[in-house]
Amino acid sequence: MSAAFGVLLCVQKFKDQDKGKVLRLFHKTCDYLATSRPTAVNLFNMLNEMRTVVDQNPDADVASLKKVLLKKAMAIFKADQEVCRRMGDHGAKLIKNGMKCMTVCNAGALATVDYGTALGAFYSAKKMNKQFSVYSLETRPLLQGSRLTCWELQKQKIDTTLICDNMAASLMAKAKVDIIFAGADRIASNGDTANKIGTYMLAVLAKHHGIPFYIVAPRSTFDLAIRSGKQIPIEERKSEEVTHFAGVSTAPKGIKVYNPAFDVTPAKLITGIVTEYGVIHPPYLKNIKRMIG
Amino acid sequence: MSAAFGVLLCVQKFKDQDKGKVLRLFHKTCDYLATSRPTAVNLFNMLNEMRTVVDQNPDADVASLKKVLLKKAMAIFKADQEVCRRMGDHGAKLIKNGMKCMTVCNAGALATVDYGTALGAFYSAKKMNKQFSVYSLETRPLLQGSRLTCWELQKQKIDTTLICDNMAASLMAKAKVDIIFAGADRIASNGDTANKIGTYMLAVLAKHHGIPFYIVAPRSTFDLAIRSGKQIPIEERKSEEVTHFAGVSTAPKGIKVYNPAFDVTPAKLITGIVTEYGVIHPPYLKNIKRMIG
């Protein structure tokens, strides 16, 4: 959604009336935004929706083009909002009174729109007056869990406890986790899911401890063009994210660092995928096709 | 070992010649140091060794007491050094050329003496000219992996890569980990092992990926008085370790935090325990008793 508004903003700032120029600017901006992150597929989907609008209006002048692009971006925003609410409601059905939930990274309002994806399940459950609590993994290296998720959940008065990523297993062993919800950046047609680094760790630990592990993601996160998670490109980021904090060095100079931003959770470790249409269960290849294909 | 030297230093600073006073100071210091950390058993063992020296020299005056305590502390130091070298040699036998190893926290010179425990295996292997590399988990919240282990290994010119704790699973899935070495703070008579938080996570992940998982620890880490890991007290530490870094807040004010410093790995997840006497394999109850009982 942000990508759609990014393109829109750029076109809106264009002051000239030259159609050729604005089209070049539009496509250049789309191409540029497409290079920003390789893993999440929604980014590419949204840019494609904006490109389609331009293709469908070949006779529009610059002013009309601005109008149709604004209309499209707003439509995407509204649709996303509705989709998040529906996912939230489907997810909330999985939360029973007294449950201790767990989530990783930020799959809430700050990462998406409105209710978000994984956090939408908590927001819906709260609205239904269910009693539950949430463990939020801090999510190294960028701490989206402590900085964003804890802030969002605290604002909604949801009982939240922050932990380091390496403490999740210990809580599971103590039977302090009943259900896990994670978002997704891209889901292959067989259900393999790329999400923030640490999600795969949670899925393996959940399997070991017999804890249900759910992905929450809208249709736009599915990439039915790819057969498995092996085809999802994983973004590797700069070492300073791991070796420094707030400008302070926390590792010896020159140390090698491996810093992948995402990992892929194989479908066999996923209990269900919560979408705006309902929860998809295994076998995923068949059921994903049936529900959203 | 540090506990023994701590008591020694305190007694050495005592300027009076009053035997009653120095004994009260000695026992007060031992009691005080014993309250510093609840999980590691070496601490209590070393304090007991120092107390035994005092008990065995009832007629010693203050000056002689200082002498026998210094002699004992130095003997502990020498013995620890020897033990670490022997553990290192036994551990190094498990490292084959080309292996990609993994370790957590700091089980090296900075945490123990000389070679350390888990890192001793790497130091011995390096001395034997074996070719291998090491992934060091940063070990949140206090980053002993990035701050201490990476520094130690880099100094020894061992090929080392730093990762966040939540990236270990992803590396295992990519077959980039052949063997894991961790230290221990206390090992029960059945082999259950308490060590730095995140060790249990590694052990579960290792099991899932079929990767050998070794604990490296000397005899003094075994607590044969307890039957299982359930009896090991786990230290919980203050929330600021998780919510702040270098004085900078990284989480919303007032958020609840769970911050255990250790976790317990059940014996069934441990491939072997490397001691100064050799590697102990399952069944642990029987084999621990036989090797060190």
Side-chain angles (χ1 to χ4, degrees), chain A residues 138 140 146-147 154 159 161-162 165-167 169 174 200-201 209 245 250 252-253 256-259, chain B residues 138 140 146-147 154 159 161-162 165-167 169 174 200-201 209 245 250 252-253 256 258-259:
Chain A
E138 63 173 8
R140 283 282 292 156
S146 27
R147 293 187 297 110
Q154 197 185 45
D159 179 357
T161 301
L162 172 63
D165 306 306
N166 57 4
M167 297 166 185
K174 289 177 182 160
Y200 170 60
M201 165 194 85
H209 296 90
F245 188 86
T250 55
K253 221 174 153 179
K256 279 198 288 182
V257 171
Y258 174 59
N259 181 21
Chain B
E138 63 172 9
R140 282 283 290 157
S146 26
R147 293 188 297 110
Q154 197 184 45
D159 179 358
T161 302
L162 171 64
D165 307 307
N166 57 5
M167 296 166 186
K174 288 177 182 158
Y200 170 61
M201 165 195 84
H209 296 90
F245 187 86
T250 54
K253 221 175 153 177
K256 281 198 287 184
Y258 174 60
N259 182 19

Side-chain angles (χ1 to χ4, degrees), chain A residues 146-179:
Chain A
S146 27
R147 293 187 297 110
L148 312 179
T149 296
C150 284
W151 183 82
E152 275 196 38
L153 296 179
Q154 197 185 45
K155 245 177 100 84
Q156 298 300 325
K157 300 193 188 336
I158 291 170
D159 179 357
T160 307
T161 301
L162 172 63
I163 60 167
C164 296
D165 306 306
N166 57 4
M167 297 166 185
S170 178
L171 281 171
M172 293 186 200
K174 289 177 182 160
K176 290 196 172 170
V177 185
D178 299 306
I179 192 166

Side-chain angles (χ1 to χ4, degrees), chain B residues 168-190:
Chain B
S170 178
L171 280 171
M172 293 186 200
K174 288 177 182 158
K176 291 197 171 171
V177 185
D178 298 306
I179 191 166
I180 300 170
F181 293 100
D185 287 85
R186 195 187 299 214
I187 303 174
S189 50
N190 71 343

Side-chain angles (χ1 to χ4, degrees), chain B residues 216-234:
Chain B
V216 188
R219 190 186 197 288
S220 59
T221 300
F222 287 80
D223 183 354
L224 300 185
I226 60 171
R227 295 175 55 183
S228 86
K230 288 192 184 118
Q231 292 169 264
I232 303 176
I234 297 297

